[in-house]
Amino acid sequence: MLKRIILLTAGVLCLHTVTEAQILKKASGVLKSATGGGTTTGNVTENEAGMGIKEALEKGVSAGISMLNKENGFFGNELYKVLLPPDALKAERALRSIGLGGQVDKAILQINRAAEEAVGFAKPIFVNAIKQMTINDALALLTGGNKRGATDYFQNKTTASLTAAFSPVIDSALDKTSATKYYSDIVTKYNSLPTSFSKVNPDLKGYVTEKAVKALFDQIAKEELAIRENPAARSTELLKKVFGG
């Protein structure tokens, strides 16, 4: 009986050792994935890996805001230029056809000016959302081979709350640049035409907010890719250590 107990105890200890080794191996694989398989400048702790992901996201936010929060950051960029909502395209075509294209162009310009101004207030909203991420959340971003994995995870996790926080900023900017007035004018003009059987009045604030948030996430993704693939983009010791040195 004593022999059986000793053998059983040894088996449990062996199992415990194997399990521990497997866990350590998995953790090592996670951290290796974080660096894209590259060589780190030293052992990366879980805390460093998590902080590195957060720093990469914050760097992307700063880069995106710097690019978009200036004159023609939206309006002069074909990739991000905000046009009229899809539901208002019929109104745009109708007004241009009767010589009121100038009013449409003015509305589009001011809508983009509103977006350009509003993103300047986005940084604390985005950074606060990043800070609320747990280390486990950040570590989850390191698995898999997705080159924009951190951005995708952050986008899926926070879009709703970021949109809700950013919406009042967009609303204020639309009013300040008179975009709301110009847009309302063209909608009213279109709805008054005798040929307008279906009236339009899309949610301009929601539409512009969605466009602005999407543009910022796109910039974050580009910055993440640069940090993962280009050593020169790793501007701090932490980023160098976590993403490959």
Side-chain angles (χ1 to χ4, degrees), residues 15 34 49 59 78 81 101 110-111 122 125 147 163 167 179 188 226 233 239:
L15 177 61
K59 194 169 184 290
E78 290 304 313
K81 183 177 181 180
Q110 296 311 118
I111 286 171
I125 297 172
K147 294 296 181 68
T163 298
S167 183
T188 301
L239 290 177

Coordinates of all heavy atoms in Angstrom, one line a residue, residues 15 34 49 59 78 81 101 110-111 122 125 147 163 167 179 188 226 233 239:
L15 N 3.1 15.0 -13.3 CA 2.1 15.7 -14.1 C 2.1 17.2 -13.8 O 2.0 18.0 -14.8 CB 0.7 15.1 -13.6 CG -0.5 15.7 -14.3 CD1 -0.4 15.5 -15.8 CD2 -1.8 15.2 -13.7
A34 N 4.4 38.2 -30.2 CA 4.3 39.7 -30.0 C 5.4 40.4 -30.8 O 5.3 41.5 -31.3 CB 4.5 40.1 -28.5
A49 N 5.1 43.3 -21.9 CA 4.4 43.0 -23.2 C 3.1 43.8 -23.2 O 2.7 44.4 -24.3 CB 4.2 41.5 -23.3
K59 N 0.8 55.5 -29.5 CA 1.6 56.1 -30.6 C 0.8 56.2 -31.9 O 0.9 57.2 -32.6 CB 2.8 55.2 -30.8 CG 3.9 55.9 -31.6 CD 5.2 55.0 -31.6 CE 6.3 55.7 -32.3 NZ 6.2 55.7 -33.8
E78 N -8.0 62.1 -50.1 CA -9.1 61.3 -50.9 C -9.5 60.0 -50.1 O -10.6 59.5 -50.3 CB -8.6 60.9 -52.3 CG -8.4 62.1 -53.2 CD -9.8 62.8 -53.4 OE1 -10.8 62.2 -53.6 OE2 -9.8 64.1 -53.3
K81 N -11.7 61.8 -47.0 CA -12.6 62.9 -47.2 C -14.0 62.4 -47.0 O -14.5 61.4 -47.5 CB -12.5 63.4 -48.7 CG -13.3 64.6 -49.0 CD -13.1 65.1 -50.4 CE -13.9 66.3 -50.8 NZ -13.7 66.8 -52.2
G101 N -24.9 73.3 -57.1 CA -23.7 72.6 -56.7 C -22.9 73.3 -55.7 O -22.2 72.7 -54.8
Q110 N -17.5 72.2 -45.1 CA -17.6 72.5 -43.7 C -17.8 71.2 -42.8 O -17.4 71.1 -41.7 CB -18.8 73.4 -43.4 CG -18.7 74.8 -44.0 CD -17.3 75.4 -43.7 OE1 -16.5 75.7 -44.6 NE2 -17.1 75.7 -42.4
I111 N -18.4 70.2 -43.4 CA -18.4 68.9 -42.7 C -17.0 68.3 -42.5 O -16.7 67.8 -41.4 CB -19.3 67.9 -43.6 CG1 -20.8 68.2 -43.5 CG2 -19.0 66.4 -43.1 CD1 -21.6 67.4 -44.5
A122 N -9.9 64.0 -29.6 CA -10.1 62.6 -29.5 C -9.0 61.9 -28.6 O -9.3 60.9 -28.0 CB -10.1 62.0 -30.9
I125 N -9.8 60.8 -25.1 CA -10.9 59.8 -25.1 C -10.3 58.4 -25.5 O -10.5 57.4 -24.8 CB -12.0 60.1 -26.1 CG1 -12.7 61.4 -25.7 CG2 -13.0 59.0 -26.3 CD1 -13.6 62.0 -26.7
K147 N -1.1 41.3 -38.4 CA -0.2 42.4 -38.3 C -0.9 43.6 -37.7 O -0.3 44.6 -37.4 CB 0.4 42.7 -39.7 CG 1.3 41.7 -40.2 CD 2.6 41.5 -39.3 CE 3.5 40.4 -39.8 NZ 4.2 40.8 -41.1
T163 N -17.4 55.9 -29.7 CA -18.3 56.6 -30.5 C -19.2 57.5 -29.7 O -19.5 58.6 -30.0 CB -19.2 55.6 -31.4 OG1 -18.3 54.9 -32.3 CG2 -20.2 56.4 -32.2
S167 N -19.1 61.5 -30.0 CA -20.2 62.0 -30.7 C -20.5 63.5 -30.3 O -20.8 64.3 -31.2 CB -21.5 61.2 -30.5 OG -22.6 61.6 -31.2
A179 N -21.4 73.6 -40.4 CA -21.7 72.5 -41.3 C -23.2 72.0 -41.1 O -23.8 71.7 -42.1 CB -20.8 71.3 -40.9
T188 N -33.2 70.9 -46.8 CA -34.5 71.6 -46.9 C -34.8 72.0 -48.4 O -35.9 71.8 -48.8 CB -34.4 72.9 -46.1 OG1 -34.2 72.5 -44.7 CG2 -35.7 73.7 -46.2
A226 N 3.8 49.5 -38.8 CA 5.1 50.1 -38.9 C 6.0 49.6 -37.7 O 7.2 49.2 -37.9 CB 5.1 51.6 -39.0
A233 N 10.7 52.5 -36.5 CA 9.4 53.0 -35.9 C 9.3 52.7 -34.4 O 8.4 53.3 -33.8 CB 8.2 52.4 -36.7
L239 N 9.3 49.7 -26.7 CA 8.8 49.2 -28.0 C 9.9 48.3 -28.7 O 9.6 47.3 -29.3 CB 8.4 50.3 -28.9 CG 7.2 51.1 -28.6 CD1 7.0 52.3 -29.5 CD2 6.0 50.2 -28.6

